[in-house]
Amino acid sequence: MAAATTAPTPPGSLKRIVAASLIGTTIEWYDFFLYGSAAALVFNKLFFPESDPLVGTLLSFLTYAVGFAARPLGALVFGHYGDRLGRKKLLVLSLLLMGGATFAIGLLPTHATVGSAAPVLLTVLRLVQGFALGGEWGGAVLLVSEHGDAKRRGFWASWPQTGAPAGQLLATGVLSALTALLSDAAFTSWGWRVPFLLSGVLVIVGLWIRLSVDESPVFKAALAAAEERKATAGQVEKMPLVAVLRHHWRDVLIAMGARMAENISYYVITAFILVYATTEVGLTKQTALNAVLVASAVHFAVIPAWGALSDRIGRRPVYLIGAVGVGAWMFPFFALIDRGGFGSLLLAVTVGLVLHGAMYAPQAAFFSEMFATRMRYSGASIGAQFSSVAAGAPAPLIATALLADYGSSTPIALYVIAAALLTVVAVACARETRDRDLGEIAGDAVPRSRVRADA
């Protein structure tokens, strides 16, 4: 392995970069997951009251899925401009869009006030949320990955990934507190609006922190090199999307396949489970929310540990542990929940999220290391977000529909197992990336000399 050409960022600066990315992603995921929890608990009554309860839940999850449909568009737009203008500017924009849409949801009139216009407005704001999140993830993980060095990149890049469980923890915690303090009537009437309106305060804090960090040094070096080539040789760069599809199409497909089990399992474990535990098993909303709350805290803690392990043994082995583990856990997962009671529900969700973390933790570094700098934002975002349309978007919807049709958890477990098999195949086809220097990945290919001999 040749010596790295990109100087590592000083530890103090790197920690500030990590903190900025983590806080920003936490806020964005708080906004996104808040909608998912509300969709499972109250949106079916507030925006689709003319449907029977299960159909109302399906319609509610359908608007939830619409947010995922907008994520590929966000990935294309933010990826293009993030590769042209820089990571930082686009991350500020994504935070403003997401926070503004979430705050507006808290002000929406319900079906009882404006009729069919209510779900339409809800859907539009969900599209804005999805568009913003489609650009957020790639920029946040790249900002950290490109500031760090290869030796501990898996560990540092996993911290923005903890924004997902942190956002889930925050969203579920706020909802859990409100359901505990308020009556069902008060929560349905006005209490559900409070966590959405809190987003406005969180966005102000996130912007203040995110504006204080520097642009990625790897990106600045690549931009300077591109401008020099243009000035001296008249060489004009291709659009990032074109370059990605020409030089990194295989990596895009691998990233999409790798996301299937990670995305589907997460939304089944955290979103659909609120429906299953309350409607099929008969547990209270409070019990289900508390289980997800505690499990999300454990999830937050294990992600950096999995990221550090990927620095030692590689991205692929850790990812495969997670994919195989999630698939193997699905039948015990539902069996535990069917027993009823908080303890068995907590064990089921916690183990599921710990195994999910083995996929989610190395994902940031893994995807970053696949692509050249001037197309990295586009490549990582496209690979991650296009797969979400087929994975996370319909997961709660498909799980709810399977439950309605078969009245059993078995088809849902088989659905997650099939996704796990697909992810195992995709990751098995990937090259190991943990020792790649991000500044040395060529635009036309990753030189074989930059890949470990054991890849």
Side-chain angles (χ1 to χ4, degrees):
M1 170 80 186
T5 60
T6 52
T9 301
S13 298
L14 181 57
K15 289 178 182 177
R16 188 171 66 251
I17 298 294
V18 170
S21 292
L22 170 57
I23 291 173
T25 53
T26 297
I27 294 168
E28 298 243 8
W29 283 113
Y30 165 81
D31 292 345
F32 206 73
F33 290 142
L34 180 61
Y35 188 102
S37 297
L41 297 174
V42 296
F43 280 179
N44 58 331
K45 303 171 186 175
L46 296 171
F47 294 92
F48 308 98
E50 297 176 356
S51 306
D52 67 62
L54 195 55
V55 173
T57 301
L58 282 168
L59 292 172
S60 185
F61 275 140
L62 186 59
T63 62
Y64 177 72
V66 163
F68 287 83
R71 283 165 67 171
L73 179 60
L76 291 173
V77 174
F78 279 82
H80 173 83
Y81 288 103
D83 282 328
R84 290 295 176 93
L85 304 177
R87 294 26 172 153
K88 177 180 172 179
K89 295 176 182 176
L90 275 296
L91 285 174
V92 169
L93 178 59
S94 71
L95 189 59
L96 284 171
L97 286 173
M98 175 67 86
T102 304
F103 185 82
I105 289 175
L107 300 174
L108 274 182
T110 63
H111 188 279
T113 305
V114 296
S116 60
V120 172
L121 292 171
L122 181 67
T123 301
V124 170
L125 291 174
R126 184 60 176 170
L127 285 168
V128 175
Q129 279 190 323
F131 179 79
L133 191 60
E136 162 69 21
W137 181 84
V141 300
L142 294 190
L143 197 63
V144 176
S145 295
E146 292 179 345
H147 272 89
D149 64 296
K151 188 174 181 181
R152 301 192 70 196
R153 185 180 298 125
F155 171 73
W156 289 116
S158 70
W159 278 100
Q161 299 290 77
T162 64
Q168 179 77 66
L169 191 65
L170 189 58
T172 307
V174 172
L175 284 171
S176 181
L178 287 170
T179 55
L181 294 172
L182 301 176
S183 66
D184 285 346
F187 181 77
T188 303
S189 175
W190 59 269
W192 68 272
R193 297 182 184 275
V194 174
F196 287 93
L197 296 176
L198 282 176
S199 180
V201 178
L202 296 175
V203 167
I204 293 173
V205 175
L207 283 174
W208 176 69
I209 296 172
R210 191 160 272 187
L211 287 169
S212 69
V213 303
D214 295 326
E215 181 56 80
S216 154
V218 173
F219 174 80
K220 289 191 287 189
L223 178 61
E227 291 175 345
E228 182 180 355
R229 288 193 299 270
K230 182 178 179 180
T232 57
Q235 182 179 348
V236 179
E237 288 186 304
K238 294 182 175 67
M239 289 179 59
L241 174 61
V242 174
V244 165
L245 296 180
R246 179 179 177 183
H247 302 304
H248 288 284
W249 60 269
R250 181 179 181 273
D251 295 314
V252 169
L253 292 177
I254 287 173
M256 291 175 68
R259 283 273 283 174
M260 296 303 289
E262 179 268 306
N263 225 215
I264 289 172
S265 66
Y266 188 78
Y267 291 106
V268 167
I269 293 169
T270 61
F272 168 74
I273 202 61
L274 297 177
V275 175
Y276 186 82
T278 55
T279 62
E280 289 298 306
V281 184
L283 298 173
T284 65
K285 288 188 294 185
Q286 189 67 46
T287 299
L289 284 170
N290 286 344
V292 175
L293 186 68
V294 175
S296 293
V298 177
H299 194 211
F300 179 93
V302 300
I303 285 176
W306 285 121
L309 184 62
S310 78
D311 286 325
R312 296 178 64 86
I313 67 174
R315 318 295 184 216
R316 292 169 69 245
V318 174
Y319 214 113
L320 288 170
I321 289 171
V324 173
V326 161
W329 182 243
M330 276 302 102
F331 280 112
F333 172 80
F334 283 108
L336 281 168
I337 297 172
D338 289 339
R339 292 175 61 183
F342 177 76
S344 56
L345 175 62
L346 177 62
L347 177 61
V349 177
T350 300
V351 173
L353 288 182
V354 168
L355 293 170
H356 171 271
M359 293 182 283
Y360 201 54
Q363 189 179 97
F366 191 28
F367 289 7
S368 298
E369 291 159 349
M370 290 181 180
F371 303 97
T373 302
R374 292 286 281 164
M375 60 188 81
R376 183 170 294 131
Y377 202 145
S378 296
S381 296
I382 291 169
Q385 303 306 334
F386 271 66
S387 59
S388 68
V389 176
L397 188 66
I398 290 173
T400 304
L402 289 172
L403 181 62
D405 287 345
Y406 295 95
S408 167
S409 62
T410 299
I412 304 166
L414 293 174
Y415 167 52
V416 179
I417 290 170
L421 291 173
L422 180 58
T423 291
V424 167
V425 171
V427 175
C429 292
R431 303 184 184 95
E432 182 55 65
T433 63
R434 70 180 165 117
D435 281 342
R436 291 178 180 172
D437 185 282
L438 296 185
E440 293 185 341
I441 301 175
D444 55 344
V446 177
R448 290 294 190 272
S449 62
R450 301 298 181 224
V451 184
R452 289 177 58 87
D454 60 354

